[in-house]
Amino acid sequence: MMFRAPLPLIVAAVLAAGPAHAQQPIQKVEVFVNSAMVLTNAQGATVYRLDGLQQLQDELSQGLPSDPNKAAQIAQQRMRAMGAGLQERASNAATGIGLATQYGVDRMPAVVVNGQAIVYGVTDVAEAVRLFLKSAQAQDNGRRP
């Protein structure tokens, strides 16, 4: 089931960007989700899976024996098998956690536009950008969306 925030919550988050940001072209779209969330229309956006480190830990430790030496050996084999993907996934999650904290993201899904405006509760990234643009246009016209 997809969570959708009420429209006033989405618009309130977008309004936080202020009118100075409304006229800027969209240069960057970042999406903050967990592994259970399914995104649509996310082409061109940077997607951060904030539970990625926990997911990696779970994958590496699943079914390990109680013997620490054997467990370490198996975990190392699993890490080698993951190859560069292990580092990429760990880096994505760590970077995402840092950026989410910096932006003040306090729930997911969250779409951050230009590092300024946050649209919550929308897993269709194109729709989140559309809501941002609609809100920005309304601000430019001097009315509330």
Side-chain angles (χ1 to χ4, degrees):
M1 182 169 88
M2 182 174 78
F3 169 78
R4 282 187 122 10
L7 187 57
L9 177 61
I10 293 169
V11 173
V14 172
L15 286 173
H21 303 296
Q23 297 173 1
Q24 295 179 357
I26 295 176
Q27 298 171 350
K28 178 171 57 169
V29 176
E30 297 164 295
V31 185
F32 299 86
V33 293
N34 65 35
S35 59
M37 295 175 177
V38 178
L39 294 175
T40 57
N41 300 312
Q43 301 85 350
T46 302
V47 177
Y48 296 103
R49 302 224 178 253
L50 300 186
D51 63 344
L53 294 175
Q54 183 63 51
Q55 291 292 317
L56 284 171
Q57 181 178 340
D58 292 348
E59 288 175 35
L60 291 171
S61 62
Q62 183 178 6
L64 290 177
S66 57
D67 179 312
N69 292 330
K70 288 181 183 176
Q73 185 179 31
I74 292 170
Q76 288 174 354
Q77 289 171 349
R78 290 177 182 174
M79 287 190 289
R80 280 192 297 275
M82 289 179 164
L86 173 68
Q87 179 61 35
E88 289 169 14
R89 288 172 59 193
S91 177
N92 174 279
T95 300
I97 291 167
L99 286 172
T101 301
Q102 177 183 331
Y103 295 149
V105 170
D106 59 9
R107 58 194 166 278
M108 296 179 285
V111 178
V112 177
V113 180
N114 291 344
Q116 301 290 324
I118 303 172
V119 179
Y120 288 107
V122 181
T123 56
D124 182 330
V125 177
E127 175 68 8
V129 170
R130 188 189 69 73
L131 289 167
F132 165 76
L133 291 171
K134 182 178 178 181
S135 177
Q137 182 181 12
Q139 284 182 337
D140 287 346
N141 292 334
R143 59 179 200 266
R144 295 184 70 90

